Amino acid sequence: MPYPADGERDRPWVMRTYAGHSSATASNELYRRNLAKGQTGLSVAFDLPTQTGYDPDDELAKGEVGKVGVPIGHIGDMRQLFDRIPLAEANTSMTINATAMWLLALYVSVAEEQGADRAALSGTTQNDIIKEYLSRGTYVFPPGPSLRLITDMVAWTVSNVPKWNPINICSYHLQEVGATPAQEIAYSMSTAIAVLDSVFDSGQVPEERRGEVVARISFFVNAGVRFVEEMCKMRAFVRLWDEITRDRYGIENPKHRRFRYGVQVNSLGLTEAQPENNVQRIVLEMLAVSLSRDARARAIQLPAWNEALGLPRPWDQQWALRMQQVLAYETDLLEYEDIFDGSRVVEAKVDEILAGARAEIDRVQAMGGAVAAVESGYMKSALVSSLAERRRRVESGEDVVVGVNKFTTTAPSPLQVEGAQAIETIDPVVEQRAVDAIREWRESRDTALVESTLDALRAAAETDRNLVEATIACARAGVTTGEWASALRGAFGEYRAPTGVSAASASGESGAEIARVRERVRATGEELGERLRILVGKPGLDGHSNGAEQVAVRARDVGFEVVYQGIRLTPAQIVAAAVQEDVHVVGLSILSGSHLEVVPAVVDGLRAAGAGDVPVIVGGIVPPDDADKLRERGIARVFTPKDYELTQIMDEIVTVVREANGL
């Protein structure tokens, strides 16, 4: 996005809504409606099987197909997704990481089918795997091979798709899992250093083109409601990126060193209680990344007011788009130079954030860089501890959340009078249709061509050859998402990242309250003749693990023996662990909307294993009607974001154990 000279009105940022659900056909209709309403860029949300490299008929995909995004199983789905959308003219952001190379290959292939020149394509693949190990959880391969895939994509796009941003280094999810502004900057910059070092060390980019590589590195950030601090954070980001690219990599052209970023404001900071308050939160957070011209976002997407309740409807997304349009076109925001230049208050805050970020970058670099700090568990533990401290402040009332821990008296919201109709719901037949369609696709293609391209991909993976062209060949041959990922799983192996729970520390909202619950845990254990054990499980493909991690930490603090094996488990694996560890209660954490499918599967599995007397509780984004259905299926308790006091939740879990054992 070009920057006009001072004195001209600044150009509006690219306006997006993060969207995709059910099927490629339904998502295509949604995109074309949004573009007709004035949206200026596309932001594709993929479902969890697509993000983690599984086809819709894989066991791990059950309950997850089309829930949090659009399922893309092969080039036919990609054709349908962008039907009647000319990709030569589009600016498309794809939130995809572990399978980013695959989705880019599908996109480029479809664009070329439309007659577009590769060099004309513009957009972004998120492609930041480091933060997936730390926060979002949609990683597939170990860190080393994952960095190799990123390196190959960066090198290939600079030569072949020069307008494309091959990586969108993403601090967004780091903030959601607890990062302070200094940590958010430090871990993002550490990731950028790891990527640039890898690209330059690979020998795939000549010395004279290094500036072009740096110029295509973009960032994706989060903006919280402390909008002055957030604005200062962005100014610090700009300053530090310029410093690193100039001093570490010798990039002389200021345009190459420009910090380019997009933003979505904080979704997990939205509240289920009094959700109408989310509207003003979103607007304030948008100001954080638009007020400072020298650090203004060049692409913004806003969540909808009801995302703490479930999937937003098209009208809810339209409201979020209109917020951007009012700010950009009705106000005088874009008419001035940077209004914070010369502010001693802003400069002091920027300097404070920079000092903390530089110190943390030095710490990570001393460990051997971002990859080493992931593998050791250092960064994950730091974030789990930071989020525990943030929760403590909310639980104690030190940090006020309006409508949650203060000013809780409220009238019924007219925005929710429709009940279950106030959110988008996904028809259960969507998954079966996707399963049937992927099987039909496999029957209709040239099997010999598919096998030969997969063999070529496997062979290339065993060398140091760039894998993008081999991946494009697979895409054109009709290979599926699961087949591409499976071929590379065979070459690279799989990975389970450290959970960060064992090294995390938290004091809770009140020492007295924790002591009281700890005594209940101890006494109940004595009555049962053994220490109370809880299994915290993450069934399905949902990788948002921060809630589960905080529950595990607090359960440990009050005296439970905690069994937590991390993310991405099948119901059968959770049942096996519960039986093997002989736990007294199973707690399931789900944020992807797959609760009605995977939770009953765990309950049925426990009964089949002779452990039907073990109570099951659920936590996550569960609409009230769905909570009633879960309770009808035998779930002992359902906790949602409004239940924010973890020690009270622990107290209730003890009550569940006592009820289940007739105490």
Side-chain angles (χ1 to χ4, degrees):
M1 183 66 65
Y3 282 67
D6 289 343
E8 295 181 20
R9 182 180 171 86
D10 199 0
R11 297 189 184 198
W13 48 87
V14 176
M15 298 183 188
R16 297 186 170 116
T17 51
Y18 180 54
H21 64 80
S22 301
S23 67
T25 300
S27 297
N28 173 263
E29 293 170 355
L30 176 62
Y31 295 164
R32 287 188 288 109
R33 283 199 305 268
N34 286 346
L35 289 169
K37 292 173 182 175
Q39 185 175 301
T40 54
L42 294 173
S43 180
V44 182
F46 297 99
D47 74 350
L48 289 173
T50 305
Q51 292 185 51
T52 51
Y54 295 103
D55 288 334
D57 58 347
D58 193 282
E59 179 189 8
L60 271 169
K62 186 173 179 55
E64 306 280 17
V65 178
K67 283 286 172 58
V68 302
V70 58
I72 299 295
H74 47 73
I75 195 171
D77 288 339
M78 191 65 99
R79 288 183 191 123
Q80 182 56 51
L81 184 65
F82 292 107
D83 182 43
R84 288 171 284 172
I85 299 174
L87 297 186
E89 303 169 19
N91 186 305
T92 306
S93 171
M94 296 193 288
T95 302
I96 195 77
N97 296 284
T99 55
M101 182 182 289
W102 174 244
L103 271 298
L104 178 63
L106 293 174
Y107 188 89
V108 169
S109 298
V110 169
E112 291 184 328
E113 288 179 353
Q114 291 183 356
D117 184 347
R118 289 177 177 179
L121 301 179
S122 64
T124 301
T125 34
Q126 192 171 97
N127 203 20
D128 176 0
I129 206 66
I130 297 295
K131 60 91 180 173
E132 294 300 316
Y133 301 123
L134 300 176
S135 55
R136 182 61 187 84
T138 65
Y139 56 83
V140 175
F141 313 111
S146 294
L147 191 58
R148 182 238 177 122
L149 292 176
I150 294 170
T151 298
D152 285 356
M153 276 185 67
V154 173
W156 184 85
T157 53
V158 166
S159 296
N160 292 273
V161 196
K163 295 182 180 179
W164 195 268
N165 301 313
I167 186 169
N168 202 217
I169 293 170
C170 179
S171 70
Y172 177 87
H173 298 100
L174 300 182
Q175 184 182 113
E176 287 198 334
V177 299
T180 64
Q183 287 175 322
E184 188 178 340
I185 293 173
Y187 297 162
S188 298
M189 291 299 173
S190 295
T191 298
I193 289 169
V195 169
L196 288 174
D197 283 356
S198 179
V199 171
F200 296 152
D201 290 346
S202 74
Q204 296 188 59
V205 178
E207 182 86 25
E208 65 272 14
R209 301 195 71 177
R210 287 190 171 196
E212 296 172 52
V213 172
V214 170
R216 300 322 303 171
I217 305 295
S218 62
F219 291 78
F220 188 72
V221 306
N222 201 334
V225 77
R226 290 172 56 84
F227 74 97
V228 175
E229 181 176 69
E230 293 293 298
M231 183 273 296
C232 292
K233 176 188 78 180
M234 297 319 308
R235 292 172 73 90
F237 252 129
V238 169
R239 193 177 302 175
L240 192 55
W241 181 241
D242 186 73
E243 177 184 303
I244 289 172
T245 54
R246 183 191 64 236
D247 297 346
R248 185 181 180 94
Y249 299 109
I251 306 303
E252 297 179 0
N253 188 335
K255 290 184 179 179
H256 289 161
R257 301 199 306 265
R258 181 177 293 150
F259 184 81
R260 300 175 310 111
Y261 77 100
V263 66
Q264 173 159 320
V265 306
N266 192 1
S267 292
L268 285 189
L270 305 182
T271 64
E272 177 188 12
Q274 299 181 27
E276 62 277 6
N277 293 335
N278 293 330
V279 174
Q280 53 263 35
R281 290 188 180 105
I282 291 166
V283 171
L284 289 170
E285 290 164 351
M286 176 172 53
L287 287 175
V289 294
S290 57
L291 274 176
S292 175
R293 178 168 169 174
D294 290 349
R296 181 171 294 147
R298 303 317 301 179
I300 297 177
Q301 57 194 44
L302 303 181
W305 68 277
N306 56 352
E307 287 196 19
L309 309 176
L311 285 174
R313 301 158 297 181
W315 182 86
D316 305 313
Q317 291 193 329
Q318 175 184 299
W319 194 1
L321 175 62
R322 296 292 185 250
M323 292 177 197
Q324 295 199 57
Q325 291 168 331
V326 168
L327 181 64
Y329 296 108
E330 292 192 28
T331 77
D332 60 350
L333 175 71
L334 300 179
E335 296 175 9
Y336 297 96
E337 299 177 37
D338 197 287
I339 60 177
F340 296 103
D341 278 349
S343 167
R344 60 178 178 79
V345 174
V346 168
E347 282 302 304
K349 187 63 178 176
V350 170
D351 288 344
E352 175 192 324
I353 293 172
L354 277 171
R358 288 188 180 109
E360 190 65 10
I361 290 171
D362 289 346
R363 196 170 292 119
V364 170
Q365 291 305 114
M367 295 176 183
V371 170
V374 165
E375 293 173 334
S376 70
Y378 166 74
M379 287 200 287
K380 181 67 173 178
S381 295
L383 292 171
V384 173
S385 295
S386 184
L387 184 57
E389 170 59 20
R390 185 192 298 174
R391 291 194 65 93
R392 181 200 65 76
R393 295 196 305 270
V394 172
E395 291 172 5
S396 68
E398 184 179 334
D399 286 359
V400 172
V401 182
V402 173
V404 174
N405 64 359
K406 196 167 186 176
F407 312 118
T408 54
T409 302
T410 183
S413 169
L415 291 173
Q416 295 179 269
V417 292
E418 297 169 275
Q421 302 305 310
I423 57 173
E424 185 82 32
T425 55
I426 305 301
D427 192 324
V429 303
V430 162
E431 183 165 312
Q432 188 56 50
R433 287 174 183 161
V435 169
D436 294 342
I438 197 86
R439 290 173 178 167
E440 289 176 13
W441 176 266
R442 294 193 194 108
E443 293 296 321
S444 67
R445 61 194 182 167
D446 184 336
T447 304
L449 180 60
V450 166
E451 288 302 325
S452 66
T453 56
L454 284 171
D455 286 344
L457 176 68
R458 293 186 191 100
E462 298 295 338
T463 71
D464 60 358
R465 283 169 45 206
N466 190 297
L467 296 179
V468 176
E469 291 293 350
T471 296
I472 290 176
C474 288
R476 290 174 174 162
V479 168
T480 69
T481 298
E483 290 167 342
W484 177 85
S486 178
L488 293 185
R489 282 185 172 99
F492 298 152
E494 293 192 72
Y495 186 70
R496 294 195 71 81
T499 67
V501 168
S502 60
S505 60
S507 57
E509 81 279 17
S510 164
E513 180 67 6
I514 279 190
R516 184 187 69 78
V517 177
R518 188 182 291 122
E519 176 56 26
R520 280 197 80 201
V521 171
R522 186 201 62 77
T524 302
E526 281 195 358
E527 289 182 66
L528 293 174
E530 57 186 335
R531 186 179 176 189
L532 293 192
R533 289 181 295 280
I534 180 172
L535 183 148
V536 179
K538 287 286 297 177
L541 297 176
D542 173 30
H544 277 118
S545 59
N546 47 306
E549 290 153 3
Q550 294 302 310
V551 167
V553 170
R554 189 62 56 89
R556 184 191 65 198
D557 288 348
V558 298
F560 277 95
E561 181 180 330
V562 178
V563 179
Y564 177 58
Q565 298 173 330
I567 63 171
R568 218 180 299 166
L569 301 173
T570 65
Q573 289 172 321
I574 290 173
V575 168
V579 172
Q580 181 177 343
E581 300 290 343
D582 193 22
V583 299
H584 300 95
V585 59
V586 173
L588 303 178
S589 170
I590 305 174
L591 290 176
S592 66
S594 61
H595 43 270
L596 292 182
E597 290 83 10
V598 297
V599 171
V602 173
V603 173
D604 294 344
L606 287 170
R607 288 173 181 160
D613 57 338
V614 177
V616 178
I617 62 175
V618 173
I621 297 177
V622 182
D625 289 0
D626 287 359
D628 291 340
K629 293 175 185 175
L630 290 176
R631 284 187 280 264
E632 289 169 6
R633 288 297 308 266
I635 299 304
R637 298 290 190 278
V638 178
F639 300 102
T640 62
K642 69 178 184 302
D643 305 302
Y644 68 95
E645 294 183 336
L646 279 176
T647 306
Q648 288 187 15
I649 291 174
M650 294 301 123
D651 196 29
E652 190 65 20
I653 292 173
V654 178
T655 299
V656 167
V657 172
R658 296 185 66 84
E659 290 173 354
N661 288 275
L663 301 180

